[in-house]
Amino acid sequence: MALPGFDFVVMGAGVAGLRAAVELADHGRVLVVTKESVAESNTHYAQGGIAAALSGDADVALHLEDTLGAGDGLVYRPAAAVLVVEGPLRVAELMEWGTRFDRENGKLLKTREGAHSLPRILHANGDATGAEISRSLVAFARAQKGVEFAEWTTVTGLLERDGVVVGVELLDHGGASRRVGGRAVLIAAGGAGQVYSDTTNPAIATGDGVVLAANAGAPLADMEFYQFHPTALSLEGAPRFLLSEALRGEGAFLRNDRGERFMEKYHPLLELAPRDVVARAIAREGMGDKPGENRPVFLDMRHLKGIDLHRRFPGISAFLANYGLDLERDPIPVRPAAHYMMGGIRTDLDGRTTLRGLYAAGEAACTGVHGANRLASNSLLEGLVFGARAAKAMLSDGLALFESSELENPVSHAGEAEEAAVERVITRLRKAMWVHAGLLREESSLQEGLQTQKACAHELKNLAKGKKASRRLTEARALCTVAEAILHSAIARRESRGAHYRNDFPVHDDCRFLRHSVFRKEGTGQPSITFEEW
Ligand SMILES: Cc1cc2nc3c(=O)[nH]c(=O)nc-3n(C[C@H](O)[C@H](O)[C@H](O)COP(=O)(O)OP(=O)(O)OC[C@H]3O[C@@H](n4cnc5c(N)ncnc54)[C@H](O)[C@@H]3O)c2cc1C
């Protein structure tokens, strides 16, 4: 069944997709597609806050410097300038639309996080900033006449006519496929933390959007740079729950199993050093004397006086209480987990990909704004700023409407691939990525990871032959291609920079690598990597 025509299709209901939908609403019918409910996104789980330089020009200039510094030489300066200059306007707009950030005596509360030179992080309900932004943006978008939501619906394909993206193929919860046309498609489908066995990301974060674009011929950039958050809960039987950087912003110490603070060995900013530095320090402190031995590392807030930690961090406190832990009483065991994809679909500053009709914004996109390492709390801001800009470009590019009625029905296949077999492939791939393309990398291990990725891709191809595209199969293929892009990019970057650390090339090589890696799938499906200046 064809849906009535939409002017714009937005893949994703996180901060980037929602912000874009609001911008588009007055200019036609907008369909926002999301794999689960509108509340299930990385945006919803964001804890610490959103960075915005609200204190005037000096703050804006410092925010730019902090962003450039964290990105380790690879931030595309024009993108970062757009982020910090437009950020305060977008955040003010968000408040007008109903987002309630925490205040004291009417004044906005601001906290500081790693590698920020001053407190500029706004937060909501203590440590539930993303949920508040998501709640208010969903409500505001729903109130716009032009916006409709398709929840529990997976985008499984992009539709192209003569090299122009003209719509998407959808799979609903009941297993029915349909095609929807439009003037333009925005990929705002978030990151791919699920490519690693250890991640803070929810199950929806499988890189589907990035892979749809790559398969259609759009280049991906900076895919070797995956940010590992230093402090996810490390407790047998518990999920890798994030312990926000704001805890260290409020003064938490990191201690090894001998009770020693160790960050002074690694960086002058101690616990507030850039994330990659802290994550590697924890990994090193956690290594035992024998291979594979793990020693616990702790986040310790017991020394903090004059702050009610349960009130400041209600969500984290409630989660820890389920496991008998208390921020005020206990050192909390932590270790790093995959958290944020700095790379993504290469776009210009207005969300344009190289394909006409296809745009990208948010974590799925790579404008170069984060370089080799994202500054804490810059990604919610990125979604707002570049979501709005992408929508403006979709409106101004003068694209023709492609009616859904012009699209033939999808080919229907017999049955679905065996889910248990698909699940086994996913588990194998995720473990291999954690071991071979995690925090500390080297040539032989990355090559081993690539062999496993190839075997997984081969297995999935066989499992998919003549079968319907289920959601899980779509996700498995996406994870496999994301893994391929990360591995090839990480192998090619024979230096260490930002979140990408090579034991065999432990220092920068500015002569060869002060450039962005670009991953392309050629017509034959063969991957290629080049290094390019922007
Ligand atoms: C635990 C956690 C804490 C974080 N804390 C912070 C923080 O404090 N500050 C900060 O700035 N950043 C934080 N981040 C990062 C930040 O939340 C994300 O980078 C940002 O929200 C991404 O927004 P997005 O709109 O690009 O994508 P998401 O918010 O991830 O939204 C992706 C959307 O795409 C949809 N989608 C995906 N694939 C498909 C498909 N095939 N078909 C249909 N829909 C699809 C999903 O269902 C979802 O609606 C945190 C992340 C996590 C996981």
Side-chain angles (χ1 to χ4, degrees):
M1 184 195 72
L3 283 177
F6 285 90
D7 292 276
F8 305 104
V9 179
V10 175
M11 177 184 182
V15 62
L18 291 167
R19 181 59 189 81
V22 168
E23 193 74 33
L24 295 166
D26 284 343
H27 304 274
R29 293 188 65 203
V30 185
L31 181 67
V32 181
V33 188
T34 170
K35 261 199 292 197
E36 296 191 1
S37 82
V38 287
E40 194 58 17
S41 59
N42 275 13
T43 297
H44 179 85
Y45 291 100
Q47 294 178 348
I50 181 165
L54 298 176
S55 314
D57 290 351
D59 191 8
V60 170
L62 276 175
H63 191 187
L64 178 61
E65 288 312 311
D66 293 345
T67 302
L68 296 173
D72 208 2
L74 216 58
V75 172
Y76 181 52
R77 194 183 180 103
V82 163
L83 180 82
V84 299
V85 170
E86 295 182 12
L89 306 173
R90 297 283 85 85
V91 168
E93 194 176 66
L94 201 60
M95 290 190 273
E96 268 172 45
W97 296 347
T99 305
R100 294 186 292 260
F101 290 114
D102 293 336
R103 292 174 184 263
E104 203 165 71
N105 304 322
K107 229 176 129 213
L108 284 167
L109 289 173
K110 294 175 194 166
T111 193
R112 190 179 162 201
E113 291 186 4
H116 282 272
S117 50
L118 44 94
R120 63 165 76 90
I121 320 290
L122 306 182
H123 46 86
N125 299 319
D127 54 8
T129 312
E132 171 59 10
I133 291 178
S134 169
R135 178 203 65 75
S136 55
L137 266 180
V138 167
F140 195 72
R142 281 204 199 280
Q144 311 301 309
K145 195 163 68 37
V147 180
E148 288 175 46
F149 285 88
E151 292 180 80
W152 297 97
T153 301
T154 303
V155 178
T156 53
L158 290 177
L159 305 174
E160 288 177 75
R161 292 289 176 278
D162 305 322
V164 180
V165 173
V166 296
V168 292
E169 190 161 306
L170 304 178
L171 177 73
D172 73 19
H173 203 40
S177 294
R178 61 199 180 190
R179 289 179 172 177
V180 176
R183 289 179 206 283
V185 174
L186 173 69
I187 294 182
Q194 289 288 323
V195 76
Y196 289 100
S197 56
D198 281 40
T199 181
T200 62
N201 288 193
I204 51 109
T206 49
D208 307 2
V210 171
V211 169
L212 288 180
N215 288 341
L220 308 183
D222 292 344
M223 289 297 287
E224 65 275 38
F225 298 115
Y226 221 103
Q227 184 171 80
F228 297 89
H229 198 290
T231 55
L233 183 64
S234 174
L235 203 62
E236 187 84 33
R240 303 305 321 281
F241 182 76
L242 182 76
L243 293 157
S244 167
E245 187 137 353
L247 295 165
R248 279 174 285 133
E250 296 291 353
F253 292 157
L254 287 164
R255 294 188 189 278
N256 61 22
D257 64 339
R258 295 178 295 286
E260 299 156 353
R261 277 184 81 187
F262 53 81
M263 279 308 300
E264 53 265 68
K265 282 194 276 177
Y266 298 96
H267 200 280
L269 285 173
L270 307 177
E271 278 84 359
L272 291 181
R275 279 190 181 169
D276 61 299
V277 176
V278 182
R280 283 194 296 276
I282 293 177
R284 293 213 164 94
E285 292 293 318
M287 280 176 190
D289 299 328
K290 297 179 209 122
E293 189 189 349
N294 285 320
R295 291 186 170 159
V297 170
F298 300 94
L299 195 67
D300 188 0
M301 304 193 85
R302 291 173 299 172
H303 58 285
L304 292 179
K305 305 283 174 258
I307 172 171
D308 180 346
L309 293 175
H310 298 142
R311 195 159 151 248
R312 173 69 181 86
F313 299 107
I316 293 174
S317 298
F319 187 89
L320 292 177
N322 294 329
Y323 295 91
L325 291 170
D326 184 327
L327 285 175
E328 290 186 351
R329 187 191 63 210
D330 303 307
I332 312 297
V334 292
R335 67 178 204 273
H339 186 59
Y340 182 85
M341 184 173 75
M342 264 79 70
I345 307 160
R346 167 86 177 100
T347 68
D348 70 8
L349 298 183
D350 297 304
R352 292 184 191 90
T353 70
T354 52
L355 303 175
R356 196 161 159 76
L358 186 68
Y359 299 76
E363 193 168 337
C366 181
T367 57
V369 74
H370 305 300
N373 199 12
R374 172 184 70 116
L375 182 68
S377 285
N378 261 0
S379 45
L380 290 171
L381 191 69
E382 172 194 28
L384 284 181
V385 168
F386 291 99
R389 287 178 77 94
K392 287 189 172 89
M394 290 162 82
L395 293 170
S396 66
D397 282 352
L399 296 153
L401 180 64
F402 208 91
E403 294 284 356
S404 298
S405 53
E406 294 175 60
L407 300 167
E408 70 281 12
N409 283 326
V411 182
S412 83
H413 292 287
E416 288 183 0
E418 203 222 308
E419 293 284 302
V422 172
E423 218 52 61
R424 276 196 297 277
V425 177
I426 292 175
T427 304
R428 182 177 174 206
L429 181 76
R430 297 180 69 207
K431 276 194 187 144
M433 286 300 287
W434 182 252
V435 172
H436 299 299
L439 273 160
L440 305 170
R441 303 165 171 179
E442 58 194 34
E443 181 77 24
S444 57
S445 186
L446 287 163
Q447 291 291 357
E448 223 178 294
L450 195 57
Q451 291 316 312
T452 305
Q453 183 277 333
K454 281 183 183 155
C456 290
H458 183 72
E459 224 178 306
L460 283 177
K461 203 168 166 192
N462 288 336
L463 284 168
K465 242 178 223 158
K467 297 289 192 310
K468 266 200 322 208
S470 68
R471 169 176 160 185
R472 205 53 183 145
L473 187 57
T474 304
E475 292 178 334
R477 285 160 152 173
L479 289 170
C480 219
T481 302
V482 168
E484 183 183 29
I486 293 174
L487 287 160
H488 279 287
S489 310
I491 288 168
R493 185 173 287 280
R494 295 162 77 101
E495 66 155 359
S496 291
R497 186 179 298 277
H500 169 72
Y501 189 86
R502 296 266 312 236
N503 289 325
D504 44 356
F505 297 98
V507 292
H508 286 177
D509 180 349
D510 285 352
C511 284
R512 294 166 69 204
F513 294 115
L514 201 51
R515 287 173 292 163
H516 300 269
S517 66
V518 179
F519 171 90
R520 290 183 176 83
K521 291 282 250 183
E522 306 298 341
T524 55
Q526 279 309 308
S528 76
I529 296 279
T530 50
F531 283 90
E532 300 177 11
E533 271 173 32
W534 294 358

